[in-house]
């Protein structure tokens, strides 16, 4: 799905990450998700976005990965950065936050939103539902 973006491409990794998360939230809202939290920090890590799915009961933990795509070289897709270690960490974080928030009785899932941001065009946003499982 392509989502319009009027701003210039971010210049540094921090700006790129923040801009990618804004695009991800915009995509989720367009798909009728309700954002519950963003950049939720715990002692063991951070969850980019926590949302309520359109079904009204599923709590979705969303990891956002954004990469600049340059024409002059091959850039691996952002979703390739979800390593086995990252998957384990996301599962632990989701379980801990669900327990702390009293969501243990709700359906839970972990999604990934990957964003390719070309140097000369609009970002391409891909949403992978239930991308991280046990």
């Amino acid at each position: 799905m392509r989502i319009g973006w009027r701003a210039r491409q971010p210049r540094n990794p921090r700006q790129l990450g923040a801009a990618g998360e804004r695009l991800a939230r915009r995509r989720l809202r367009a798909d009728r998700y309700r954002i519950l939290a963003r950049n939720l920090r715990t002692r063991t890590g951070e969850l980019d976005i926590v949302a309520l799915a359109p079904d009204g009961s599923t709590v979705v933990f969303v990891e956002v990965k954004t990469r600049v795509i340059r024409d002059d070289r091959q850039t691996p897709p952002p979703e390739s950065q979800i390593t086995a270690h990252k998957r384990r960490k996301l599962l632990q974080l989701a379980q801990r936050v669900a327990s702390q928030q009293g969501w243990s009785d709700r359906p839970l899932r972990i999604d990934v939103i990957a964003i390719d941001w070309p140097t000369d065009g609009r970002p391409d946003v891909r949403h992978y539902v239930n991308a991280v499982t046990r």
Side-chain angles (χ1 to χ4, degrees):
M1 172 181 187
R2 294 220 179 249
I3 295 178
W5 188 253
R6 292 185 289 279
R8 279 185 267 156
Q9 185 182 55
R11 298 190 187 279
N12 65 50
R14 181 171 282 174
Q15 289 176 341
L16 181 66
E21 288 178 17
R22 281 192 302 273
L23 281 175
R25 288 191 307 273
R26 184 182 292 177
R27 165 69 184 266
L28 290 167
R29 284 188 196 108
D31 290 342
R32 298 182 36 229
Y33 286 75
R34 194 175 106 209
I35 307 301
L36 301 175
R38 60 187 185 135
N39 301 323
L40 183 62
R41 289 176 173 78
T42 70
R43 278 183 270 149
T44 56
E46 178 183 1
L47 292 165
D48 294 331
I49 300 170
V50 180
L52 190 62
D55 67 12
S57 65
T58 304
V59 177
V60 183
F61 302 95
V62 183
E63 178 69 11
V64 180
K65 291 295 183 187
T66 308
R67 292 287 180 266
V68 172
I69 304 300
R70 292 184 172 81
D71 293 334
D72 59 336
R73 65 177 191 219
Q74 286 290 80
T75 305
E79 53 270 36
S80 70
Q81 298 301 308
I82 307 293
T83 62
H85 174 74
K86 183 67 173 180
R87 285 191 298 273
R88 283 190 304 273
K89 189 170 185 172
L90 286 169
L91 286 164
Q92 289 172 346
L93 282 167
Q95 289 172 350
R96 177 170 287 141
V97 169
S99 176
Q100 290 171 348
Q101 296 295 323
W103 295 332
S104 297
D105 60 337
R106 290 177 169 257
L108 305 171
R109 73 170 198 246
I110 301 173
D111 293 2
V112 171
I113 293 185
I115 303 168
D116 288 328
W117 202 316
T119 55
D120 60 351
R122 291 182 176 185
D124 180 36
V125 180
R126 295 179 303 282
H127 183 181
Y128 297 97
V129 175
N130 206 29
V132 177
T133 58
R134 291 178 191 197

